[in-house]
Amino acid sequence: MSAKEAVERFIPDGSYLAIGGFGANRIPTAVLHEILRARRKDMAFLGHTSTHDFQLLCAGHCLDRVDAAYIVGLEARGLSANARRVVQSGEVELCEWTNHALSVRLSAAAAGLSYGLVRSMLGTDTFARSAAKVVTCPFTGKKYAALPALWPDVSVIHVHEADIFGNARIKGISIADLELARASKRLIITAERLVDNLAIRQDPDRTAIPYYLVDAVVHTPFGSYPGNMPYEYFSDEDHLREWLTAEKDPEEFARFLDKYIYQVADFNEYLQLCGGLDRLRELREMECLAD
Amino acid sequence: MSASYNMMEMMICAAARILQDGKTVAVGTGAPCAAAMLAQKTHAPNLVIAFEAGGLAPRLRKMPISVGDSRTFFQANCAAGMAEMMTTCARGMVDYAFLGGAQIDKYGNLNSTSVGDYNKPKVRFPGSGGANDFASLCWRTMIMTMHNRSRFVEKVEFLTSPGYLDGAGAREEAGLPPNTGPYKIITDLAILGFDPESKAMRVESVHPGVTLETVRENTGFELLEAPEITQTSPPQTDALEVLRREVDPEGYIIKRA
């Protein structure tokens, strides 16, 4: 299935969307671009450390409510001027959480429970601006923060390898993606490589996400670009800096979005615009620390 | 021996010295990560560095840009998930956490969420990420920040990550794990700690060339004083060498000063 088709079939306006990976690492960029081109509106979003994914969804004005742990920033790179404009204008309704809290909310959903527990958040405004409640342990009397389970309507997770049924392998850290895959009502997998089902069966302990959780598989080489894909390619810091610079001036940013997203047919064309295979080879060398 | 250095180098070297060999530290990107790398390459080779997204005990050959990028688990002992890292903190297995923030108050509470009306903020910052979890669950929280009156405020406008909340006993009362909390604050002017009784911030050492008066002028609340206020040791020449050549050769962080 193509990224465009996956968005058409599984991500309607108003969906509660969650994205795998962390920051600009192992993100499903191709699907995010399609969401913008499809002009999706009124969506909700699960924002644990969300950097380029949140930046993209703000650029498309796709969101109206967000469960936030980390938004509007790109970690060590600085803050997104446009995402800040969107949030500061009140366009998006926010609910505060922490990264651990969001992964526990997903774990609870994945376990078929209506809530999960954490020992953090208590006593803070992060707690006060969340939907968490204080509960008392029936055995010890200890106080915990109870967190409502979270079942996203649809999630998109980028992985290293998958077969056509959706059995998927992830190399390196899994972040919250194992929980996310199991909590979501619909799941789109984008994969760097397609592998044969026999390869999965010969090494079944490497299957991080089994097929029965998956609704669509999109073969997307370099699919995390300009993000980092562990063991494959490093993030394109020059291109991300171009984003952060263009965002400072709204008119300039509109032209930038036209060039890189709205006037582009598909993800491959975007990769070509950004330097194509030559640039990707450089990023591969950076990832392997082959300097 | 000490050599010439800038304030960022001073802060990183001072922070690195606090980290002991064999301990575990949770870090984010930037100066805290540089301090942990420096400690590991100088006096604390067995310091275990942990990242919230799942990287545990990597060999940090290059400075990570993200707390989830592939460098955070380069040749690591374990590439796990966020739940694994955070529950490790919740079990009391992480000694130190390193945080920053836009505002800090006299009880070490941090604001990294917003300034102004929450629903239509004057300035929106990223929010907690994993910082609230680390500040809640790790034994000792360390904070690195620039020292001025707009950052050191009487009361933070949004309490993102807990310090001692509103004083002694408040963390325990709220339900946070006992005997955890902020430990040291390393700024460009001084190293600060907390009064054991009241849990209010106090000055413990001032950096060379800085007076106690300057520290007070740059703090928006009344600072306590440790029984003895010392002068912070300047960076040692060998530590500076390692910092410049091995930890941050491109000068991403140390050239910001």
Side-chain angles (χ1 to χ4, degrees), chain B residues 3-4 15 32 39 63 67 89 109 112 115-116 140 145 150 163 166-167 187 194 200 202 221-222 239:
Chain B
S4 67
M63 187 82 71
V67 286
C89 296
N109 301 306
S112 53
V115 171
R140 292 175 160 180
T145 183
S150 66
D166 49 18
T187 78
F194 293 87
R202 67 183 193 182
F221 52 85
E222 203 183 330

Side-chain angles (χ1 to χ4, degrees), chain A residues 55-73:
Chain A
Q55 185 180 28
L56 277 164
L57 294 165
C58 284
H61 297 277
C62 304
L63 305 175
D64 67 6
R65 56 206 195 279
V66 174
D67 281 304
Y70 183 102
I71 52 168
V72 313

Side-chain angles (χ1 to χ4, degrees), chain A residues 22 25 69-71 75 84 88-89 96 98-100 120-121 123-126 143 173-175 228 287 291, chain B residues 52 61-62 66-70 80-82 86 90 118 120 123-124 126-129 132-133 159-160 165 173:
Chain A
F22 183 102
N25 308 295
Y70 183 102
I71 52 168
E75 299 192 75
R84 283 183 112 175
Q88 288 170 192
S89 73
E96 297 292 323
T98 69
N99 278 344
H100 183 36
S120 51
M121 292 180 70
T124 64
D125 290 330
T126 306
K143 281 184 198 169
I173 54 174
S174 55
I175 312 153
N228 163 225
E287 174 61 12
D291 52 0
Chain B
E52 68 190 68
R61 243 192 82 193
K62 281 219 170 193
S66 159
V67 286
D69 79 33
S70 49
M82 200 141 68
M86 292 304 194
Y118 173 80
K120 218 167 174 180
V123 187
R124 172 73 203 200
S128 165
N132 175 301
D133 303 308
L159 204 171
T160 310
L165 302 177
E173 177 60 29

Side-chain angles (χ1 to χ4, degrees), chain A residues 7-288:
Chain A
V7 171
E8 278 168 11
R9 280 185 60 179
F10 296 110
I11 314 184
D13 282 353
S15 303
Y16 191 116
L17 172 72
I19 292 293
F22 183 102
N25 308 295
R26 206 163 46 67
I27 49 171
T29 316
V31 171
L32 288 160
H33 283 199
E34 289 300 341
I35 290 172
L36 264 66
R37 279 193 286 271
R39 309 273 177 185
R40 287 290 175 263
K41 294 284 171 223
D42 308 323
M43 299 179 77
F45 184 66
L46 171 62
H48 71 66
T49 295
S50 294
T51 68
H52 191 52
D53 47 357
F54 189 74
Q55 185 180 28
L56 277 164
L57 294 165
C58 284
H61 297 277
C62 304
L63 305 175
D64 67 6
R65 56 206 195 279
V66 174
D67 281 304
Y70 183 102
I71 52 168
V72 313
L74 277 88
E75 299 192 75
R77 305 170 186 96
L79 295 159
S80 157
N82 183 65
R84 283 183 112 175
R85 276 193 294 270
V86 166
V87 171
Q88 288 170 192
S89 73
E91 177 181 323
V92 174
E93 189 189 340
L94 295 175
C95 188
E96 297 292 323
W97 305 93
T98 69
N99 278 344
H100 183 36
L102 289 173
S103 77
V104 168
R105 292 188 65 195
L106 295 171
S107 294
L113 299 171
S114 54
Y115 75 99
L117 297 173
V118 289
R119 301 186 75 186
S120 51
M121 292 180 70
L122 296 161
T124 64
D125 290 330
T126 306
F127 176 89
R129 289 283 180 180
S130 75
K133 291 185 190 309
V134 175
V135 292
T136 306
C137 170
F139 304 104
T140 63
K142 283 188 178 177
K143 281 184 198 169
Y144 297 116
L147 316 169
L150 176 56
W151 289 271
D153 290 325
V154 56
S155 297
V156 193
I157 299 177
H158 187 62
V159 304
H160 291 78
E161 295 173 340
D163 69 10
I164 56 167
F165 306 106
N167 292 299
R169 293 168 170 173
I170 293 171
K171 289 171 78 179
I173 54 174
S174 55
I175 312 153
D177 291 357
L178 307 185
E179 296 85 354
L180 179 60
R182 287 154 180 83
S184 300
K185 296 175 195 165
R186 292 270 183 257
L187 175 59
I188 299 166
I189 291 289
T190 68
E192 287 285 322
R193 281 178 297 281
L194 285 183
V195 296
D196 193 86
N197 178 249
L198 186 59
I200 297 286
R201 289 179 181 277
Q202 281 170 338
D203 229 348
D205 58 318
R206 289 182 55 206
T207 305
I209 300 170
Y211 70 97
Y212 52 78
L213 300 168
V214 179
D215 293 280
V217 178
V218 181
H219 182 209
T220 319
F222 304 105
S224 181
Y225 179 89
N228 163 225
M229 188 66 180
Y231 308 104
E232 302 281 342
Y233 44 89
F234 200 63
S235 47
D236 189 343
E237 293 305 313
D238 294 347
H239 186 58
L240 288 169
R241 202 172 306 118
E242 214 182 318
W243 267 87
L244 290 174
T245 309
E247 285 188 342
K248 287 175 185 160
D249 172 26
E251 283 175 28
E252 165 70 21
F253 188 47
R255 284 192 292 275
F256 178 90
L257 289 176
D258 264 344
K259 174 183 167 188
Y260 283 116
I261 295 181
Y262 292 114
Q263 305 296 330
V264 170
D266 60 21
F267 193 63
N268 279 336
E269 199 177 312
Y270 172 66
L271 291 176
Q272 288 302 326
L273 269 179
C274 295
L277 276 181
D278 286 346
R279 180 60 181 153
L280 293 165
R281 191 168 56 232
E282 287 170 12
L283 298 173
R284 191 178 287 280
E285 283 166 12
M286 273 184 230
E287 174 61 12
C288 300

Side-chain angles (χ1 to χ4, degrees), chain B residues 135-138 141 162-165 167-177 180-182:
Chain B
S136 298
L137 304 172
C138 298
T141 303
Y164 290 106
L165 302 177
R171 281 176 70 94
E172 290 77 8
E173 177 60 29
L176 295 173
T180 56

Side-chain angles (χ1 to χ4, degrees), chain B residues 3-138:
Chain B
S4 67
Y5 52 87
N6 68 33
M7 264 314 129
M8 188 57 84
E9 290 171 330
M10 169 85 203
M11 287 167 73
I12 292 169
C13 290
R17 276 199 298 268
I18 297 172
L19 298 169
Q20 298 156 291
D21 196 29
K23 298 285 188 185
T24 300
V25 61
V27 298
T29 53
C33 185
M37 284 172 79
L38 178 61
Q40 203 177 48
K41 287 171 192 287
T42 53
H43 65 279
N46 303 306
L47 178 71
V48 177
I49 300 177
F51 291 92
E52 68 190 68
L56 179 66
R59 290 184 168 136
L60 287 174
R61 243 192 82 193
K62 281 219 170 193
M63 187 82 71
I65 297 171
S66 159
V67 286
D69 79 33
S70 49
R71 291 164 182 178
T72 63
F73 50 95
F74 181 75
Q75 296 181 356
N77 273 334
C78 185
M82 200 141 68
E84 172 64 16
M85 285 315 307
M86 292 304 194
T87 50
T88 301
C89 296
R91 287 195 300 276
M93 296 181 80
V94 178
D95 299 296
Y96 299 105
F98 251 125
L99 302 177
Q103 291 181 327
I104 183 166
D105 67 22
K106 66 178 169 183
Y107 292 117
N109 301 306
L110 289 166
N111 174 11
S112 53
T113 302
S114 64
V115 171
D117 174 22
Y118 173 80
N119 294 314
K120 218 167 174 180
K122 200 160 77 184
V123 187
R124 172 73 203 200
F125 302 110
S128 165
N132 175 301
D133 303 308
F134 283 158
S136 298
L137 304 172
C138 298

